[in-house]
Amino acid sequence: MTESTVTGGTATERIAAQGAAPGADAAGGRKRGARNWRPLLLLVPAFVIVSLFFLAPLVDVFIRSVTDPVPGLQNYVWLFTTEANLAVVVRTFGTAFLVTVVCLLLAYPYAYLMTIVSDRTRNLLQLFVMLPLWTSILVRTLAWMVLLQDTGPINGLLAAWFGIGPIPLIRTTFGVALGMSQVLLPFMVLPLYSAMAKIDKRLLPAASNLGAKPVTAFLTVYLPLSRPGIFAGSVTVFILGLGFYIIPALLGSSKEIMISALIQQQISVFLMWGQGTALGIFLLVCTILLLVVVSRLNKGGSLFPGVNR
């Protein structure tokens, strides 16, 4: 056998191999493509659970809001044209906003303190934040009822030390806001701490060395960097505050009724399912719009500190 024959045979085999390669690659690509959708099967249980326990009830609530007692938008007309309903809506959003501001003012210095203390002290401060979450909201609300009543310890101390009282603390907006703030404070502290823990502690001394006053350095350097935590904590507290039922029902009065109590009243007392579900859909839409607006305002950031987009 000559050298050319050997070379030719080798070349022929090489060409054949090259011709078969694209087909093999295509088959391998098809096989790999067929396997790509299989991990999506892991999402099926979650999708089924969300559909059965969230989407289906939500669709049912919306259908009831436009079909009970008769098909139409009369329930939403009732919601937006009744003066008492508008007063409840304003009170609900006003109380939630007040609680958000109170929690922010209390949580911001607390979260900042957590970033500058030792690890042992930080763990202790975190324990103080998490401890209320391990206690039932009902138990804490009943404790506030004892503390805030006219013959309770707070009014007793005011009368003994300052000779004033009794001051109406319970059945007021103050009592409702105080109880809600105590419950929702951890939901403000944790996002703030998550955002502040990422801020370089050398920035404020550097700003001071460049001639900035402490207040100016804080407002121009530290506060903007902690904005993701402010947004996340404020949105969380505000949305949770909109749906509170137990605390306004126990610490408030009939004059302090909020949307959640009005929904319960329409459905359980008056059996007006259409009006109650219309209130629920309205509250859900307001929550979604709030998230959209805050996302627009917080451009370039995330509503959840620690989670990158």
Side-chain angles (χ1 to χ4, degrees):
M1 183 180 296
T2 62
E3 182 178 357
S4 58
T5 306
V6 175
T7 305
T10 304
T12 304
E13 292 175 359
R14 188 182 302 113
I15 294 173
Q18 291 177 353
D25 291 342
R30 287 194 298 269
K31 188 177 296 184
R32 286 193 297 271
R35 290 195 298 266
N36 286 339
W37 59 269
R38 293 179 182 178
L40 297 178
L41 293 176
L42 298 174
L43 299 177
V44 173
F47 179 77
V48 172
I49 292 175
V50 171
S51 299
L52 290 178
F53 296 101
F54 180 76
L55 295 180
L58 187 60
V59 171
D60 180 67
V61 167
F62 175 75
I63 292 175
R64 284 178 178 269
S65 69
V66 294
T67 59
D68 190 303
V70 294
L73 300 176
Q74 66 278 354
N75 295 318
Y76 294 95
V77 174
W78 165 83
L79 170 60
F80 292 107
T81 58
T82 304
E83 185 176 353
N85 294 337
L86 298 179
V88 170
V89 171
V90 172
R91 185 182 307 116
T92 300
F93 279 82
T95 303
F97 178 77
L98 175 62
V99 170
T100 302
V101 173
V102 172
C103 288
L104 180 60
L105 294 178
L106 295 176
Y108 198 95
Y110 191 91
Y112 177 74
L113 180 63
M114 292 174 61
T115 63
I116 61 176
V117 296
S118 62
D119 292 340
R120 183 176 181 179
T121 305
R122 183 182 301 111
N123 293 333
L124 187 61
L125 293 176
Q126 289 177 344
L127 178 63
F128 290 155
V129 172
M130 301 300 297
L131 191 61
L133 299 178
W134 303 338
T135 307
S136 171
I137 293 180
L138 181 59
V139 173
R140 283 183 281 174
T141 305
L142 293 175
W144 278 115
M145 292 180 65
V146 174
L147 293 173
L148 298 177
Q149 61 184 341
D150 294 341
T151 58
I154 295 180
N155 272 310
L157 291 176
L158 292 176
W161 292 356
F162 303 101
I164 58 176
I167 299 176
L169 301 175
I170 200 171
R171 312 300 179 196
T172 61
T173 303
F174 171 80
V176 173
L178 182 62
M180 292 175 60
S181 299
Q182 190 267 336
V183 172
L184 294 175
L185 189 60
F187 297 97
M188 182 69 77
V189 173
L190 296 178
L192 282 173
Y193 170 71
S194 178
M196 291 180 178
K198 301 177 182 179
I199 301 176
D200 194 337
K201 303 301 182 297
R202 298 171 296 179
L203 293 177
L204 290 180
S208 299
N209 292 335
L210 293 175
K213 296 181 179 180
V215 176
T216 304
F218 171 78
L219 294 177
T220 58
V221 177
Y222 197 87
L223 185 62
L225 293 176
S226 63
R227 188 180 65 175
I230 296 175
F231 274 102
S234 299
V235 170
T236 302
V237 171
F238 187 82
I239 291 177
L240 291 176
L242 291 178
F244 259 58
Y245 172 74
I246 294 178
I247 292 179
L250 295 180
L251 298 182
S253 64
S254 58
K255 297 180 180 180
E256 307 298 327
I257 188 174
M258 297 176 65
I259 290 181
S260 55
L262 184 59
I263 294 174
Q264 184 273 339
Q265 182 186 77
Q266 293 296 321
I267 294 178
S268 300
V269 179
F270 301 135
L271 301 180
M272 301 296 293
W273 283 83
Q275 295 179 358
T277 53
L279 287 166
I281 293 296
F282 168 75
L283 192 59
L284 175 63
V285 171
C286 290
T287 302
I288 295 175
L289 291 178
L290 175 65
L291 291 175
V292 172
V293 171
V294 173
S295 299
R296 295 289 185 180
L297 294 176
N298 193 27
K299 292 181 178 180
S302 174
L303 291 180
F304 307 98
V307 179
N308 295 325
R309 291 184 175 180

